[in-house]
Amino acid sequence: NAGVTQTPKFQVLKTGQSMTLQCAQDMNHEYMSWYRQDPGMGLRLIHYSVGAGITDQGEVPNGYNVSRSTTEDFPLRLLSAAPSQTSVYFCASSYTTGGASYEQYFGPGTRLTVT
Amino acid sequence: QKEVEQDPGPLSVPEGAIVSLNCTYSNSAFQYFMWYRQYSRKGPELLMYTYSSGNKEDGRFTAQVDKSSKYISLFIRDSQPSDSATYLCAMSPDNYGQNFVFGPGTRLSVLP
């Protein structure tokens, strides 16, 4: 099991550029999520998905899009990068029972800098 | 006031010390409480998971929840240099992943 994988590990973008952060899991987890981690702020939820074809917004969704066409993959798209999106991005997944999530497994993160 | 607060540290202790890490929160609806450990440049990993009030022990780690004071703690006994990491608390009212609220983390250094 590779667990949760994320690519790329590092990325530098110019303001206005777009890109997709990839996330994949091989644990057949229904629930997947994207967080950003900024100093002093804790992990903040961007978007989440409770299954293929179902996504919803988290606490800080502006400027980001997601889709979930398969159970395994949950890409995060930055539409027009801004310096405020400089952060470390983590993807996580967990199995669910009756909608409730249990242990969230996190990927290694993508460090994004927007200049 | 932030919903979940943690002392950011850094906290430095000698090897073998007992470490106490704490979080306070404001939302009385929180019932599920978690501690994550995050090594430098890695993703968080779940250490402890407790429901409602009380204590839970796992090896050198003890999680304590005091809902009346809205205060949770993680104790590490016989701390080791390998415990050097950032510790994040997280909590949720209903065990739905999208409702987890994370603290900002406390950075711990255990010195040999």
Side-chain angles (χ1 to χ4, degrees), chain A residues 10 31 35 37 40 42-43 45 48 90 98-104 106-107 111, chain B residues 2 36 38 41-46 49 88 94-98 100 102-104:
Chain A
F10 303 93
Y31 180 85
Y35 290 91
Q37 186 175 40
L43 289 162
L45 184 64
Y48 67 95
F90 289 101
S101 310
Y102 293 86
E103 177 176 359
Q104 290 203 62
F106 283 83
R111 293 182 172 271
Chain B
K2 289 183 185 173
Y36 284 81
Q38 185 177 19
R41 297 185 176 260
K42 301 285 187 189
E45 55 179 337
L46 184 67
Y49 191 109
L88 311 172
D94 53 13
N95 211 27
Y96 284 75
Q98 59 267 34
F100 287 9
F102 285 82

Side-chain angles (χ1 to χ4, degrees), chain B residues 13-28:
Chain B
V13 300
E15 184 175 353
I18 296 175
V19 176
S20 171
L21 303 166
N22 310 299
C23 284
T24 58
Y25 62 94
S26 56
N27 187 347
S28 57

Side-chain angles (χ1 to χ4, degrees), chain A residues 22-82:
Chain A
Q22 301 291 345
C23 173
Q25 53 91 9
D26 61 0
M27 298 173 282
N28 203 31
H29 285 168
E30 293 176 330
Y31 180 85
M32 295 186 74
S33 56
W34 277 101
Y35 290 91
R36 58 178 290 172
Q37 186 175 40
D38 302 291
M41 299 290 291
L43 289 162
R44 291 184 292 167
L45 184 64
I46 303 171
H47 285 285
Y48 67 95
S49 168
V50 297
I54 307 169
T55 64
D56 207 343
Q57 297 180 348
E59 180 187 354
V60 289
N62 291 344
Y64 308 95
N65 266 358
V66 292
S67 60
R68 182 106 178 262
S69 55
T70 67
T71 299
E72 295 78 20
D73 300 297
F74 191 43
L76 177 73
R77 278 181 288 279
L78 278 69
L79 309 172
S80 177

